[in-house]
Amino acid sequence: MDEPRKFVAPEIVFGVGALEMAGRYARNLGATKILLVTDPGVTDAGWPRSVIAALSAEGVAHVVYADVSPNPRAEEVMLGAECYQAENCDVIVAVGGGSSMDCAKGIGIVSTNGRHVLEFEGVDRVDLPGPPLICIPTTAGTSADVSQFAIINNLYEKIKIAIISKSVVPDVALIDPTTTMTMDAGLTASTGMDALVHAAEALVSSAGSPLTDLHALEAVRLIYDHLPVVLETPDDLQLRGKVMLGSLEAGLAFSNASLGAVHAMSHSLGGRLDMAHGESNSILVDHVLRFNWPAAENRYRRIGAAMGLDLAGRPSEEARELLVDAVVRFKHGVGIRKTLKDCGVEPGDVPALARNALNDPCMATNPVLPDAAQIEKIYEEAF
Ligand SMILES: [Fe+2]
């Protein structure tokens, strides 16, 4: 028998109209005043306004905190926590992508524990849970709305830290595919690729379980089949819903199985160069796949099967290259063609990038633990 594994998830409402339930859920959680955490791009798209209307309809007051960068910074978390306390808020609602939701998670645990957000780095380092948190995602990719991860940017040391704790799992995820209709093609592609990488890394993770496998495989199917079509017909809500569901299932999988080398190396890039997360994942994914293949061949073959590839009976190397080709074609097909060089990464950055990637908690569940020299080689292959 496999060893026992836990599976944690928030209460989830999935479907068109879920956003409008924000007021009812906030009231049920006892809210009198909400801190609504969002960012300028999502504000322009209008989703916070819709959430505020739902809150007001239930008589719940609110204050907006919208100073969140694409890679949320520790300072932004600390200022958000000050705002939460100064305004006497009692519930947090995050509306946005991973940055707003991760920032909201940080604000929550800083408010209850009275410590600096960077002190929570690592696995299970949070003593007290934050106040009730409702997440309303507006991208189909990060799945911070269901995960026990928060990624925060430490600008001084140029690293991204990962906070992994059951305490940062939101209480409620209101997942409304309508919110993804305002994403442009670039954001749709990069967040969709992030979700596909979540599913793949969860499947080959050394902490996976039958429950996480189930969600991860279905996520691969949903995203691989539907993301390219969504880019051709971005106004098709049904299709948007399929990708959003894929992202949700990938999130349930990786939140519980954790991730691997792609995310560890991607966090390192994001911290040092402020690179977009979905883009750096996409640049690395096929190179990590080649490196990991010998340690997780059967699991990668299952991913290939979920993508509709005929790998059965093929010799190992041939199957690996078929899968790598399919992944590369897929990312190029959704418009992501950059290399590390195109993103301004210099060869001289590689040793520090590798050092930080090695220390990232996501590396611990990669199917094989690389050393610094091996990580450097993977980065070099991605130039
Ligand atoms: Fe990710």
Side-chain angles (χ1 to χ4, degrees):
M1 275 299 276
D2 295 328
E3 61 181 292
R5 297 276 190 210
K6 70 174 175 182
F7 191 94
V8 181
E11 180 171 350
I12 297 167
V13 182
F14 180 93
V16 173
L19 178 144
E20 286 146 34
M21 297 178 184
R24 200 187 316 161
Y25 270 93
R27 210 190 46 195
N28 287 349
L29 287 166
T32 55
K33 191 171 190 182
I34 294 279
L35 182 74
L36 191 147
V37 182
T38 188
D39 68 53
V42 177
T43 303
D44 286 346
W47 299 117
R49 211 169 37 238
S50 307
V51 173
I52 288 167
L55 293 171
S56 302
E58 295 289 336
V60 179
H62 70 275
V63 55
V64 175
Y65 182 71
D67 296 329
V68 184
S69 305
N71 286 313
R73 299 164 181 184
E75 294 70 29
E76 294 165 351
V77 173
M78 300 311 291
L79 285 172
E82 274 178 34
C83 180
Y84 177 88
Q85 276 153 351
E87 294 283 344
N88 290 318
C89 298
D90 43 20
V91 170
I92 301 176
V93 176
V95 186
S99 36
S100 297
M101 294 190 279
D102 285 352
C103 189
K105 291 176 175 186
I107 290 170
I109 54 176
V110 165
S111 301
T112 43
N113 290 275
R115 290 163 59 197
H116 195 279
V117 67
L118 296 175
E119 293 176 29
F120 301 110
E121 179 179 10
V123 182
D124 289 335
R125 302 277 309 279
V126 184
D127 296 328
L128 301 171
L133 172 63
I134 300 173
C135 280
I136 303 173
T138 58
T139 63
T142 118
S143 298
D145 46 295
V146 295
S147 82
Q148 42 191 330
F149 284 62
I151 308 296
I152 304 295
N153 207 355
N154 175 352
L155 276 190
Y156 296 108
E157 292 186 45
K158 290 195 160 208
I159 53 170
K160 273 183 165 184
I161 65 143
I163 299 167
I164 306 174
S165 166
K166 206 168 69 175
S167 299
V168 298
V169 176
D171 296 272
V172 181
L174 300 177
I175 307 175
D176 190 333
T178 321
T179 61
T180 65
M181 301 288 280
T182 49
M183 283 198 294
D184 63 20
L187 191 60
T188 302
S190 64
T191 50
M193 277 301 296
D194 184 27
L196 187 63
V197 173
H198 291 155
E201 293 219 287
L203 258 169
V204 301
S205 159
S206 58
S209 71
L211 260 180
T212 57
D213 289 352
L214 188 71
H215 288 292
L217 283 170
E218 184 59 13
V220 170
R221 270 184 218 106
L222 284 165
I223 298 161
Y224 191 77
D225 288 350
H226 297 102
L227 183 61
V229 206
V230 159
L231 288 162
E232 282 165 24
T233 51
D235 297 331
D236 188 326
L237 183 56
Q238 284 289 110
L239 282 174
R240 291 274 188 187
K242 298 275 187 198
V243 176
M244 193 85 170
L245 184 60
S247 165
L248 165 61
E249 297 220 42
L252 291 170
F254 94 76
S255 174
N256 290 285
S258 196
L259 293 159
V262 180
H263 270 78
M265 294 174 68
S266 183
H267 291 155
S268 181
L269 283 164
R272 197 167 171 83
L273 297 140
D274 218 14
M275 271 173 76
H277 176 66
E279 195 165 76
S280 51
N281 276 343
S282 305
I283 291 170
L284 295 165
V285 60
D286 41 304
H287 302 286
V288 170
L289 195 166
R290 263 206 195 94
F291 175 79
N292 280 350
W293 177 272
E297 177 172 338
N298 288 338
R299 303 217 136 232
Y300 279 120
R301 283 178 181 270
R302 289 177 75 187
I303 294 174
M307 289 160 59
L309 304 178
D310 180 18
L311 303 183
R314 305 237 188 215
S316 178
E317 228 167 89
E318 189 187 334
R320 183 193 69 200
E321 287 313 301
L322 280 171
L323 182 58
V324 167
D325 281 353
V327 170
V328 171
R329 247 183 295 122
F330 186 80
K331 73 177 181 181
H332 287 175
V334 300
I336 301 178
R337 293 179 162 271
K338 281 188 181 165
T339 64
L340 289 184
K341 193 173 162 208
D342 300 330
C343 297
V345 184
E346 304 279 347
D349 294 324
V350 168
L353 287 169
R355 254 195 325 274
N356 291 336
L358 200 54
N359 289 330
D360 189 286
C362 293
M363 193 61 93
T365 43
N366 197 58
V368 53
L369 294 183
D371 60 27
Q374 288 170 316
I375 299 172
E376 287 184 22
K377 192 158 170 283
I378 300 171
Y379 276 125
E380 281 155 10
E381 284 164 1
F383 264 85

